[in-house]
Amino acid sequence: MHTFSGFASGSSKQVSFADQFFTELLPLIDDLVELKVTLACLRAFDQQNGWLKWATIKDLDNDPSLKDVRESISDGLAKAVRRGSILQAVSRTQETYLFANDHYGRAAKESIERGESIAQVPGVIANRPNIYTLYEQNVGTLTPMIAEQLREAEKEYSSELIEESFQAAVRQNVRSWAYIRKILERRAKRIAQGEQDEKSQRDVGRKWQEDLKKYRGK
């Protein structure tokens, strides 16, 4: 029998699972490979930042905790997917993405199956912080209700305006989505009013030029 020397203290990385894993999911799993694959996926998810977390088949193939079941990973994953603990979505490029079966994972699976790339899925970090990342970094933990409000705001406002509004709230030390939303609304209104004023000025200038041409033509 191979023995375990004990948990290291100090710098060891910590992994957190939802209590439901122990109270609801674990009692259902009756296959060792399925359990190992499920744990490997949950650990991969937990090590990522942001509200949307995923893994790929390649991640599982390279996971040292699965080296003794390497030939059976696909079978264990298939069982985890049928169990409902892990969600699987295949992209247009035939890349397989794995998500936890939670609010965010279900939304991501739907997006991938609609034909969107992983970079297009709301919440994925691209070249700059998105609204979800900004919220987590500056306000707090995301909830499904807040995530839905952020999704709507992301559709309505530009990324630049969203970033500026978060920064303004942080400078005033008011870390509340309701307050940030008010800043967004006020700034968007000022921008819209400024565009209207600019258009009015252009219209006046155009009318003046037309009158000047008429005068010179006489």
Side-chain angles (χ1 to χ4, degrees):
M1 174 188 293
H2 295 289
T3 60
F4 174 57
S5 59
F7 293 102
S9 59
S11 60
S12 295
K13 292 183 178 179
Q14 302 296 314
V15 180
S16 61
F17 294 158
D19 187 58
Q20 277 184 288
F21 171 80
F22 299 98
T23 59
E24 298 180 28
L25 178 58
L26 186 57
L28 298 177
I29 300 176
D30 54 7
D31 180 85
L32 179 59
V33 179
E34 177 190 349
L35 176 60
K36 287 191 172 186
V37 170
T38 301
L39 288 170
C41 287
L42 295 178
R43 184 181 65 176
F45 301 151
D46 188 70
Q47 290 176 344
Q48 297 179 29
N49 295 318
W51 72 275
L52 179 60
K53 304 171 183 181
W54 73 89
T56 64
I57 301 297
K58 184 178 180 180
D59 293 329
L60 296 183
D61 289 337
N62 295 330
D63 192 319
S65 70
L66 299 177
K67 63 181 180 180
D68 61 328
V69 294
R70 188 90 52 214
E71 301 301 321
S72 305
I73 288 177
S74 59
D75 293 334
L77 177 60
K79 290 181 180 179
V81 170
R82 288 199 300 271
R83 185 85 58 194
S85 54
I86 303 298
L87 300 179
Q88 178 175 288
V90 180
S91 70
R92 289 178 298 177
T93 59
Q94 299 304 303
E95 180 74 67
T96 299
Y97 292 97
L98 308 173
F99 307 98
N101 187 1
D102 58 14
H103 174 81
Y104 309 121
R106 290 190 289 273
K109 175 178 168 63
E110 291 176 3
S111 295
I112 294 294
E113 292 179 342
R114 284 197 301 267
E116 298 177 3
S117 68
I118 191 68
Q120 293 173 309
V121 175
V124 175
I125 300 176
N127 294 327
R128 60 192 305 166
N130 55 41
I131 192 170
Y132 305 94
T133 304
L134 288 168
Y135 183 91
E136 287 189 321
Q137 290 177 344
N138 298 291
V139 181
T141 303
L142 276 170
T143 64
M145 183 178 295
I146 290 294
E148 186 60 33
Q149 293 178 26
L150 297 181
R151 181 192 293 265
E152 293 302 316
E154 195 171 39
K155 294 177 182 177
E156 186 175 354
Y157 303 105
S158 69
S159 58
E160 291 81 5
L161 189 59
I162 289 171
E163 280 192 62
E164 291 172 1
S165 299
F166 270 91
Q167 291 168 0
V170 170
R171 285 196 298 269
Q172 297 173 50
N173 199 30
V174 182
R175 299 172 184 270
S176 158
W177 169 242
Y179 185 74
I180 294 167
R181 176 78 195 206
K182 288 185 179 298
I183 295 177
L184 272 170
E185 292 172 351
R186 288 199 300 268
R187 293 192 172 202
K189 185 175 181 179
R190 286 202 300 269
I191 290 173
Q193 184 61 49
E195 290 176 349
Q196 291 176 1
D197 292 344
E198 185 178 347
K199 182 177 182 301
S200 298
Q201 293 175 0
R202 288 199 303 268
D203 290 342
V204 170
R206 188 180 302 109
K207 184 66 168 58
W208 183 83
Q209 291 291 340
E210 291 174 354
D211 291 343
L212 181 60
K213 288 179 181 179
K214 290 179 182 179
Y215 175 80
R216 287 175 174 173
K218 289 184 179 180

